[in-house]
């Protein structure tokens, strides 16, 4: 189904006829009055901040009357959200936006999305969540489709209490953004890094490889790419140096480059900023005409599951243009 901006009339119709407070997830409704709400009323940016709603009915009234272009709620809970004062805790979030993926085999330009790179973003979200569960022991992990990508929201109490620096370390860990000192360890960060580095290397084409390594060495990397991927997965990093024409300098440049690119699969600033506002599940992403929504089964999810009624009804007409 086509992705295109919604008209002001369609946005109004969405909030009048389709939006339902029952579509708000519990983690929002149970903390409603402690969150700051922000809105982009007309598509010019989320400048209408510092809003508080004491009841669901107040939020409902606001959305129906104002029909905002975008709606957001803070990841943080505050004693006084109207002033962003009295910070209590914040959802731990990862924002994986298909438009910003650093390597996109779909070929659509950076800044745009198609179903293929949204699917790629979904796989990244699943992989991050695996690490969050397996290595870090988080249990309350919620996936949200944001319109152009996915949000992971970790709601475990000890995740929500993490502060700035701890979130910074955590995002580096989950994304594989730092080259580990012991690359061969079978468990823990070394494993996460090698898996992420191997996955990324597999996706990289000639042009992208050129960004990380210089001329001559690059040819050898390209030639042995599959072998290097295999060695990374098996923890046999030293064996990469036995490949013809790949020296310590080239390997270091490769690993450092992979680490840097891996850090770009999520916007780390979103994870680290404990006062960030994030698109409100149940609201409309007017830029692409999709509902931002909590996903029950991420494996089988496609953006067609989030098509608002107005687009479904206009679907046949749009497809001809
Ligand atoms: Zn794409």
């Amino acid at each position: 189904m086509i992705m295109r901006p919604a008209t002001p009339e369609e946005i109004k119709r969405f909030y009048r006829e389709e939006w339902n407070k029952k579509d708000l997830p519990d983690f929002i409704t149970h903390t409603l009055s402690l969150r700051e709400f922000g809105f982009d009323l007309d598509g010019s940016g989320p400048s209408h901040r510092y809003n508080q709603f004491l009841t669901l009915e107040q939020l409902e009234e606001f959305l129906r009357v104002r029909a905002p272009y975008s709606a957001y709620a803070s990841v943080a809970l505050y004693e006084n959200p109207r002033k962003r004062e009295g910070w209590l805790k914040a959802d731990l979030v990862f924002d994986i936006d298909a438009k910003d993926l650093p390597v996109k085999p779909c070929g659509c330009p950076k800044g745009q999305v198609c179903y293929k790179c949204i699917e790629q973003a979904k796989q990244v979200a699943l992989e991050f969540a695996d690490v969050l569960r397996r290595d870090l022991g988080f249990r309350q992990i919620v996936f949200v489709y944001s319109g152009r990508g996915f949000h992971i929201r970790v709601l475990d109490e000890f995740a929500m209490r993490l502060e700035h620096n701890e979130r910074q370390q955590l995002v580096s860990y989950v994304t594989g953004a730092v080259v580990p000192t012991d690359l061969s360890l079978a468990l823990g960060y070394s494993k996460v890094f090698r898996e992420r580095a191997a996955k990324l290397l597999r996706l990289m084409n000639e042009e992208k490889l050129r960004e990380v390594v210089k001329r001559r060495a690059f040819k050898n990397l390209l030639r042995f790419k599959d072998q290097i991927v295999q060695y990374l997965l098996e923890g046999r990093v030293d064996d990469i140096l036995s490949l013809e024409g790949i020296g310590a300098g080239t390997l270091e440049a490769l690993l450092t480059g992979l680490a840097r690119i891996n850090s770009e699969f999520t916007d780390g600033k979103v994870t680290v900023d404990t006062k960030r506002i994030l698109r409100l599940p149940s609201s409309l992403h007017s830029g692409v005409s999709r509902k931002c929504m909590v996903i029950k089964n991420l494996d089988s999810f496609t953006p067609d599951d989030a098509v608002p009624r107005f687009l479904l009804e206009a679907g046949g007409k749009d497809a001809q243009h």
Side-chain angles (χ1 to χ4, degrees):
M1 179 76 63
I2 187 174
M3 298 183 108
R4 55 125 172 110
T7 66
E9 289 68 33
E10 287 169 335
I11 300 170
K12 282 195 195 96
R13 206 187 132 194
F14 174 80
Y15 283 108
R16 204 172 53 230
E17 297 174 11
E18 189 167 358
W19 185 87
N20 191 317
K21 62 185 178 217
K22 290 198 185 80
D23 295 331
L24 284 163
D26 288 350
F27 69 85
I28 295 285
T29 55
H30 292 171
T31 55
L32 188 80
S33 65
L34 301 176
R35 293 193 192 252
E36 179 210 356
F37 283 78
F39 300 95
D40 175 350
L41 293 174
D42 54 10
S44 61
S47 52
H48 191 66
R49 302 271 312 249
Y50 296 100
N51 300 280
Q52 181 188 31
F53 298 100
L54 300 176
T55 66
L56 286 177
E57 288 66 33
Q58 285 177 1
L59 172 63
E60 180 173 25
E61 170 82 5
F62 184 97
L63 291 172
R64 294 220 195 280
V65 172
R66 304 298 288 267
Y69 186 82
S70 301
Y72 306 87
S74 61
V75 295
L77 311 183
Y78 302 97
E79 281 169 16
N80 186 356
R82 272 179 194 281
K83 292 190 168 166
R84 254 182 262 165
E85 280 175 0
W87 187 92
L88 300 166
K89 55 184 179 176
D91 309 345
L92 169 66
V93 298
F94 294 83
D95 178 18
I96 302 137
D97 195 330
K99 80 176 170 5
D100 299 325
L101 292 171
V103 179
K104 303 219 290 187
C106 61
C108 77
K110 210 171 174 186
Q112 290 182 26
V113 298
C114 67
Y115 272 30
K116 276 189 191 153
C117 54
I118 291 177
E119 178 65 25
Q120 190 193 346
K122 180 177 114 177
Q123 293 307 323
V124 173
L126 285 165
E127 289 158 15
F128 285 181
D130 269 349
V131 175
L132 290 164
R133 278 195 205 96
R134 182 188 74 194
D135 287 26
L136 301 159
F138 295 120
R139 287 292 168 266
Q140 294 183 55
I141 298 175
V142 175
F143 297 105
V144 175
Y145 171 60
S146 64
R148 289 196 167 106
F150 299 88
H151 297 152
I152 301 174
R153 303 181 79 129
V154 185
L155 306 171
D156 295 77
E157 191 65 23
F158 70 101
M160 294 185 72
R161 304 235 175 240
L162 295 172
E163 297 193 355
H164 182 91
N165 290 347
E166 296 160 317
R167 288 176 197 237
Q168 180 73 63
Q169 285 175 24
L170 213 135
V171 75
S172 294
Y173 188 102
V174 171
T175 57
V178 179
V179 182
T181 49
D182 190 334
L183 274 161
S184 308
L185 280 181
L187 291 168
Y189 179 61
S190 171
K191 181 159 183 267
V192 175
F193 175 84
R194 287 186 289 98
E195 284 175 356
R196 297 230 58 80
K199 280 204 176 83
L200 171 59
L201 183 56
R202 205 180 267 146
L203 290 177
M204 282 167 75
N205 59 16
E206 198 174 322
E207 190 189 345
K208 201 75 193 172
L209 264 175
R210 267 183 207 279
E211 284 177 25
V212 293
V213 214
K214 296 275 180 299
R215 281 160 254 124
R216 277 224 322 274
F218 144 82
K219 285 234 158 77
N220 294 322
L221 284 181
L222 199 60
R223 184 173 148 214
F224 293 116
K225 192 173 115 167
D226 292 344
Q227 186 66 64
I228 299 172
V229 166
Q230 201 53 38
Y231 282 157
L232 279 171
L233 289 173
E234 291 168 7
R236 296 164 60 191
V237 179
D238 288 343
D239 288 346
I240 297 173
L241 294 171
S242 69
L243 298 167
E244 189 188 330
I246 298 180
T250 302
L251 178 59
E252 194 191 330
L254 175 67
L255 295 177
T256 310
L258 293 174
R260 179 182 54 75
I261 297 171
N262 264 335
S263 74
E264 297 168 10
F265 276 89
T266 183
D267 182 352
K269 289 195 295 298
V270 176
T271 303
V272 169
D273 182 357
T274 55
K275 294 194 167 184
R276 177 75 56 148
I277 52 172
L278 218 55
R279 195 174 289 280
L280 177 69
S282 76
S283 71
L284 182 71
H285 190 313
S286 301
V288 291
S289 295
R290 286 295 182 279
K291 293 184 275 189
C292 170
M293 60 194 280
V294 167
I295 306 165
K296 293 215 172 67
N297 183 353
L298 187 56
D299 284 304
S300 63
F301 176 85
T302 88
D304 280 349
D305 300 333
V307 174
R309 218 177 290 150
F310 67 78
L311 191 65
L312 276 179
E313 286 169 15
K317 207 167 53 198
D318 280 343
Q320 287 162 14
H321 290 287

